[in-house]
Amino acid sequence: MKSLMMLSAATLLSFATTSFADDQERYEHFSGQPAKNLDQALFNLKNFNAKMAEIMAKDELTPQDMATIHQLSYTLENALQRLDEEVDTMQEVLEEVHLASESMDYETVQKQGKVYLESTGKIVKE
């Protein structure tokens, strides 16, 4: 009985290792296009979302569609990460405006208020 359990464990381990190796060979990993600033992140989100939406509009996805979506996701992840970083910066700038408005610091409110409005204006369309 003990040898049967050991054999079963060895078989499972062998299968899992083979499966993992197959997955590594089957799925290439890409770096995606960079998003070095907010404008580039928004550009990539718009364009790569459109590409993904076009694929997703199909009734059935093919293995090639899945591979394309996999590749697109790297650029989209980069864009979202940059957007997250940029929103964090926007929050910090707004906090500066907030604190400056409490202390009647007109210069900081004008300077940082413009920075805040310019950056958020890129993500908030009227």
Side-chain angles (χ1 to χ4, degrees):
M1 180 74 148
K2 189 174 185 179
S3 62
L4 181 60
M5 287 175 57
M6 288 177 59
L7 178 62
S8 295
T11 302
L12 285 173
L13 182 59
S14 172
F15 177 74
T17 304
T18 302
S19 177
F20 179 74
D22 289 345
D23 286 345
Q24 291 300 312
E25 291 173 18
R26 192 175 322 143
Y27 299 109
E28 289 186 46
H29 292 279
F30 303 93
S31 59
Q33 292 189 17
K36 295 181 180 179
N37 56 49
L38 180 58
D39 291 325
Q40 192 174 28
L42 293 172
F43 177 86
N44 287 349
L45 275 174
K46 179 180 179 182
N47 290 299
F48 283 75
N49 276 353
K51 291 176 184 182
M52 186 172 175
E54 184 179 317
I55 295 168
M56 298 294 295
K58 295 180 179 181
D59 290 334
E60 291 186 34
L61 299 177
T62 66
Q64 180 59 43
D65 292 331
M66 297 298 282
T68 301
I69 289 170
H70 180 79
Q71 190 170 0
L72 292 173
S73 71
Y74 285 94
T75 296
L76 290 168
E77 288 169 354
N78 291 345
L80 289 173
Q81 182 176 358
R82 171 57 62 189
L83 186 59
D84 183 48
E85 293 167 4
E86 294 289 335
V87 168
D88 287 347
T89 300
M90 291 174 202
Q91 290 174 321
E92 292 169 8
V93 171
L94 181 59
E95 182 64 13
E96 289 179 38
V97 171
H98 174 90
L99 295 174
S101 70
E102 288 179 346
S103 64
M104 299 297 172
D105 180 349
Y106 293 92
E107 185 178 333
T108 298
V109 168
Q110 288 180 321
K111 180 181 174 194
Q112 294 301 84
K114 287 179 183 177
V115 170
Y116 170 79
L117 290 172
E118 181 180 299
S119 60
T120 58
K122 294 176 181 181
I123 60 173
V124 177
K125 302 292 181 185
E126 292 183 28

